[in-house]
Amino acid sequence: RPDELRERLFDIEVDEPAFLRALDSMQIVPDRELLALRAEREEISDRAIREAQPHLRTLAAMPFVRMLAFSGSTAHRNMTTTEDVDLFTIVEDGKLWAVFLLAMVWAKWKGLRKRLCMNYLISDRALPLFEHDVFTAQQAASLKPVFGKSLYDRFISMNPFVRRQFPNFEPSRHRGLYPEIPPPPRKRVLE
């Protein structure tokens, strides 16, 4: 979509009207097969996200989990099956391995090890990412938070290289895509 194309231009800042004029001047005719494929993958992704909601609420309720966001093909709504929901997770400093172990035991017990994939797990003290390459910037710019949106805001602000690589990146577009999972009252007690 035009807004996605503009946002993914790296190292080129362009306002929306100028971008749309340039795009219109190219007279691109979308390929119907690709449009159908995208619609199919968006439907698969949306179904996977709906089916994962109870499990996401459980993960958000786990002690010391501070943020959950969709990443990878899930964030792009480009899943080919409802398996492998990619997650970017931030946990309280000093609790990384404990949370990882708890989440893995829970996922194995529930039969979710192949369904939920924590492909990024970091501490809240490691918010400024070490790698500043285009791939890492693209991964960060693609996140769609579902829990801990205020920490998402902090994460984006602490990684200004993302906006340098993708100057048209609009975090609010990603932040607002999914409703936030509220933390259950028992979370503080467990912590």
Side-chain angles (χ1 to χ4, degrees):
R1 295 187 181 100
D3 61 332
E4 295 167 318
L5 290 171
R6 180 177 161 263
E7 192 175 74
R8 287 298 176 250
L9 292 174
F10 56 92
D11 297 330
I12 298 172
E13 187 171 5
V14 60
D15 64 39
E16 188 174 7
F19 176 77
L20 291 175
R21 281 192 305 277
L23 190 60
D24 286 343
S25 74
M26 290 187 231
Q27 300 178 349
I28 298 172
V29 178
D31 181 314
R32 287 186 181 170
E33 287 180 26
L34 290 178
L35 289 174
L37 178 63
R38 176 164 185 164
E40 177 186 334
R41 288 185 178 183
E42 286 179 345
E43 185 180 314
I44 291 167
S45 301
D46 292 346
R47 188 172 62 243
I49 289 167
R50 273 192 313 275
E51 291 171 1
Q53 285 301 316
H55 309 305
L56 296 172
R57 284 193 292 278
T58 300
L59 280 172
M62 285 186 181
F64 312 112
V65 171
R66 297 296 179 243
M67 188 188 98
L68 291 173
F70 295 124
S71 61
S73 64
T74 308
H76 291 287
R77 294 175 66 212
N78 193 29
M79 297 174 68
T80 56
T81 72
T82 57
E83 299 296 314
D84 195 25
V85 173
D86 295 321
L87 296 171
F88 182 100
T89 308
I90 299 177
V91 302
E92 185 177 305
D93 186 48
K95 312 295 191 296
L96 190 72
W97 290 107
V99 170
F100 181 70
L101 178 63
L102 176 64
M104 288 299 104
V105 168
W106 167 78
K108 185 153 180 79
W109 175 63
K110 295 290 283 182
L112 300 169
R113 285 277 321 270
K114 292 183 179 176
R115 185 132 208 215
L116 298 176
C117 176
M118 288 191 198
N119 61 359
Y120 236 106
L121 184 67
I122 64 171
S123 158
D124 61 0
R125 282 196 52 194
L127 294 186
L129 297 176
F130 179 71
E131 295 291 333
H132 292 181
D133 55 47
V134 174
F135 175 78
T136 304
Q138 188 276 333
Q139 290 292 308
S142 298
L143 296 177
K144 308 293 187 289
V146 294
F147 174 71
K149 290 187 179 194
S150 60
L151 187 54
Y152 168 79
D153 297 337
R154 207 168 107 216
F155 172 76
I156 294 300
S157 72
M158 294 181 79
N159 289 288
F161 77 95
V162 175
R163 281 212 166 125
R164 283 193 303 273
Q165 296 278 2
F166 296 98
N168 305 302
F169 169 55
E170 296 175 23
S172 62
R173 183 174 155 263
H174 300 268
R175 186 188 201 280
L177 196 59
Y178 297 101
E180 181 153 18
I181 297 169
R186 71 179 184 270
K187 183 171 179 135
R188 285 203 180 273
V189 174
L190 289 172
E191 292 178 353

